């Protein structure tokens, strides 16, 4: 596959020579062969010319769910990877949100093999415990050798503190990364929305920020005792940002992420009782949103994620209390972030995070493998159902005004242009 990108504005802050310069980029057999002001197209080369064409290193997402195996009606791996590629993502960390869950090395191998030859690469997570039941540790070492980049019981708290202690100690033997979902289930109880003024007015059972912050505080105490590497996915409260900032000042090896929808929306959107806005952790207050955005900007929050969770209509078109949590996020990721942040910030947030998962970051230079995302950062539009490429259609961003358009990716010798 030979491709020539014409007059592409490069957004790559780490490459000062090329950053914000317009260049032609010639890609031959998946390798960046030449970057120049005017590059001639060799024979049998696809020339790509797009309106206001911009290019950056390929984007990375640390929290994506599909459905296969077990929930193929929500999303297959093939269509999920197609959606990710068209949305600008060249690399995704795949959540263990399947049936059965990936708790053995053979499960991890299956997931990796399903992604072979695609423009978007899969980096699977294995579960932390067998069957994600929170009792016995899964085959962490074997799964790491098979390609699992970390270990996570998806959206489930590690309720047994001793189990987290043992996991952090054991994983140090092979430099493993342990996840802990930030929510105390006992305090959450039957809550379905952030506990506050909005939930009280609407009569919805509340989930206090305390449920998240107490869990994080406990986990950080354990991490300080054991050492090791801890990742806290999708925090949602301002108090959590402060706790993690303090832990980092102590030198603890902890990272965290935030879902884009927790930056973009507050709990005030729940007045319509639209179940697309039911997520876990829940949307919180505007004050929390502001603190989270500040945490992303100052680096306390290590990376943003779509927290993309396809969910079939049967689990969303029900009463708010009974609906399952989760929203799509891949298709709206760039447009929403580009609305909140400046372009250069947005690209930094979309490209950082690989090293935490021991994924080799790409480079934008001659001789490197092409791992590129193509986009137009300008132009506002209303996100509609027609913009959704996923099999499921449960996006809370439908009706939102977003900014910018993704053209696709070039990666792994493939293209979604």
């Amino acid at each position: 596959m030979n491709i020539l990108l014409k007059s592409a504005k490069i957004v790559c802050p780490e490459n000062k020579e090329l950053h914000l310069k317009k260049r032609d980029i010639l890609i031959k057999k998946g390798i960046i062969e030449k970057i120049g002001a005017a590059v001639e197209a060799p024979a049998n080369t696809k020339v790509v010319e797009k309106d206001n064409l911009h290019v950056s290193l390929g984007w990375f997402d640390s929290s994506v769910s599909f459905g296969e195996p077990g929930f193929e009606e929500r999303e297959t791996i093939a269509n999920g990877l197609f959606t990710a590629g068209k949305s600008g993502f060249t690399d995704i960390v795949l959540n263990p949100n399947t049936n059965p869950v990936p708790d053995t090395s053979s499960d991890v191998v299956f997931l990796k093999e399903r992604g072979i030859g695609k423009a978007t690469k899969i980096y699977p997570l294995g579960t932390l415990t067998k069957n994600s039941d929170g009792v016995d540790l899964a085959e962490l070492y074997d799964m790491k050798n098979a390609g699992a980049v970390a270990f996570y019981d998806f959206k489930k708290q590690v309720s047994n503190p001793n189990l987290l202690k043992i996991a952090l100690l054991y994983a140090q033997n092979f430099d493993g990364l342990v996840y802990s979902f930030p929510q105390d289930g006992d305090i959450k109880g039957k809550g379905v929305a952030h506990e506050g003024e909005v939930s009280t007015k609407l009569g919805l059972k509340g989930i206090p920020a305390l449920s998240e912050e107490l869990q994080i505080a406990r986990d950080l105490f354990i991490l300080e005792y054991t050492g090791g590497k801890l990742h806290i996915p999708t925090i949602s409260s301002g108090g959590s940002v402060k706790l993690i900032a303090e832990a980092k000042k102590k030198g603890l090896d902890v990272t965290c992420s935030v879902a884009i929808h927790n930056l973009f929306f507050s709990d005030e959107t729940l007045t319509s009782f639209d179940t697309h806005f039911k997520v876990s952790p829940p949307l919180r207050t505007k004050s929390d949103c502001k603190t989270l955005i500040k945490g992303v900007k100052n680096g306390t929050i290590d990376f943003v994620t779509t927290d993309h969770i396809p969910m079939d209509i049967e689990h969303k078109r029900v009463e708010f209390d009974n609906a399952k949590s989760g929203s799509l996020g891949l298709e709206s990721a760039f447009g929403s972030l580009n609305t909140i942040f400046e372009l250069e910030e947005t690209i930094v947030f979309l490209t950082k995070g690989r090293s935490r998962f021991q994924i080799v970051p790409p480079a934008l230079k001659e001789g490197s493998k092409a791992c590129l995302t193509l986009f137009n950062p300008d132009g506002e539009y209303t996100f509609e159902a027609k913009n959704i490429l996923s099999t499921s259609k449960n996006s809370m961003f439908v009706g939102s005004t977003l900014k910018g358009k993704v053209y696709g990716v070039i990666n792994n010798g493939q293209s979604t242009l």
Side-chain angles (χ1 to χ4, degrees):
M1 179 189 68
N2 299 333
I3 296 177
L4 177 61
L5 307 181
K6 295 293 292 183
S7 298
K9 189 171 185 178
I10 297 171
V11 185
C12 187
E14 57 264 52
N15 189 328
K16 295 180 180 179
E17 292 182 2
L18 293 175
H19 183 48
L20 301 182
K21 302 288 196 308
K22 274 194 175 183
R23 295 289 186 267
D24 293 354
I25 303 174
L26 178 62
I27 300 162
K28 279 191 174 183
K29 297 181 180 178
I31 304 296
I32 299 175
E33 182 170 284
K34 189 170 181 59
I35 303 174
V39 178
E40 292 296 323
N44 302 317
T45 297
K46 178 181 179 180
V47 178
V48 176
E49 297 181 276
K50 301 281 189 180
D51 290 340
N52 196 27
L53 177 60
H54 284 59
V55 64
S56 74
L57 292 172
W59 300 344
F60 169 75
D61 192 347
S62 64
S63 181
V64 175
S65 298
F66 294 145
E68 186 180 358
F71 301 116
E72 286 84 356
E73 73 280 3
R74 298 178 186 175
E75 190 72 283
T76 62
I77 291 176
N79 193 67
L81 291 176
F82 170 77
T83 300
K86 293 296 287 185
S87 302
F89 293 91
T90 56
D91 301 277
I92 61 160
V93 173
L94 187 63
N95 289 316
N97 185 21
T98 56
N99 183 26
V101 293
D103 60 359
T104 67
S105 57
S106 59
D107 296 328
V108 172
V109 169
F110 167 81
L111 293 172
K112 285 185 68 70
E113 287 181 345
R114 297 291 286 171
I116 292 175
K118 307 295 185 182
T120 300
K121 289 187 176 181
I122 286 178
Y123 295 90
L125 294 172
T127 62
L128 184 65
T129 62
K130 293 179 181 178
N131 298 315
S132 283
D133 59 13
V135 178
D136 299 310
L137 287 181
E139 301 174 3
L140 306 190
Y141 178 69
D142 289 345
M143 287 194 289
K144 174 72 182 294
N145 288 338
V149 294
F151 310 104
Y152 180 27
D153 288 346
F154 181 69
K155 300 290 185 182
K156 295 181 179 180
Q157 71 170 111
V158 183
S159 56
N160 182 347
N162 191 54
L163 184 69
L164 180 62
K165 183 197 79 171
I166 293 170
L168 286 166
L169 288 169
Y170 175 57
Q172 290 178 56
N173 293 301
F174 48 89
D175 199 27
L177 176 62
V178 174
Y179 274 53
S180 181
F181 182 60
Q183 192 170 79
D184 184 299
D186 293 324
I187 293 179
K188 174 198 173 188
K190 295 181 179 179
V192 295
H194 171 68
E195 184 176 87
E197 183 178 339
V198 173
S199 64
T200 302
K201 286 181 177 179
L202 299 178
L204 295 173
K205 297 182 181 70
I207 305 173
L210 175 66
S211 67
E212 176 170 307
E213 293 157 13
L214 187 65
Q215 186 80 9
I216 289 175
R218 186 208 72 170
D219 293 348
L220 292 174
F221 270 117
I222 294 172
L223 178 65
E224 188 171 8
Y225 177 80
T226 60
K229 295 163 57 176
L230 178 67
H231 179 63
I232 302 173
T234 59
I235 66 171
S236 65
S237 82
S240 299
V241 178
K242 295 174 185 176
L243 287 168
I244 292 166
E246 291 168 1
K248 289 186 172 185
K249 287 179 182 178
K250 291 181 180 180
L252 300 186
D253 192 351
V254 59
T255 51
C256 68
S257 65
V258 63
I260 295 170
H261 52 249
N262 283 102
L263 304 174
F264 198 88
F265 295 107
S266 73
D267 60 345
E268 293 180 9
T269 60
L270 300 182
T271 54
S272 64
F273 292 96
D274 186 343
T275 58
H276 290 139
F277 292 97
K278 185 177 182 181
V279 287
S280 180
L283 301 175
R284 299 202 185 272
T285 66
K286 286 186 175 179
S287 176
D288 287 307
C289 292
K290 290 178 181 177
T291 305
L292 291 166
I293 289 171
K294 184 178 178 181
V296 172
K297 286 188 172 186
N298 66 28
T300 301
I301 298 175
D302 298 271
F303 28 89
V304 298
T305 174
T306 64
D307 202 28
H308 178 87
I309 304 176
M311 194 61 63
D312 50 88
I313 193 171
E314 287 81 3
H315 289 108
K316 281 295 186 180
R317 192 174 288 179
V318 293
E319 300 84 355
F320 199 92
D321 281 358
N322 297 326
K324 286 190 177 293
S325 297
S327 174
L328 302 179
L330 287 171
E331 298 97 325
S332 54
F334 175 65
S336 52
L337 281 176
N338 196 35
T339 303
I340 301 171
F341 301 104
E342 297 296 325
L343 175 60
E344 290 182 45
E345 290 179 316
T346 296
I347 298 305
V348 169
F349 302 149
L350 285 169
T351 53
K352 68 188 297 192
R354 288 178 173 88
S355 58
R356 185 58 167 171
F357 300 90
Q358 299 180 340
I359 301 169
V360 178
L364 208 166
K365 61 182 182 180
E366 293 179 356
S368 296
K369 290 183 179 179
C371 177
L372 305 173
T373 298
L374 283 64
F375 58 96
N376 177 353
D378 297 332
E380 290 188 346
Y381 71 102
T382 300
F383 188 81
E384 301 176 8
K386 67 181 182 181
N387 301 118
I388 298 174
L389 301 174
S390 301
T391 302
S392 296
K393 305 301 176 185
N394 57 304
S395 173
M396 69 170 72
F397 286 91
V398 171
S400 298
T401 300
L402 307 183
K403 180 183 177 184
K405 176 182 179 181
V406 179
Y407 291 126
V409 302
I410 300 170
N411 184 46
N412 202 27
Q414 306 293 319
S415 167
T416 63
L417 298 174

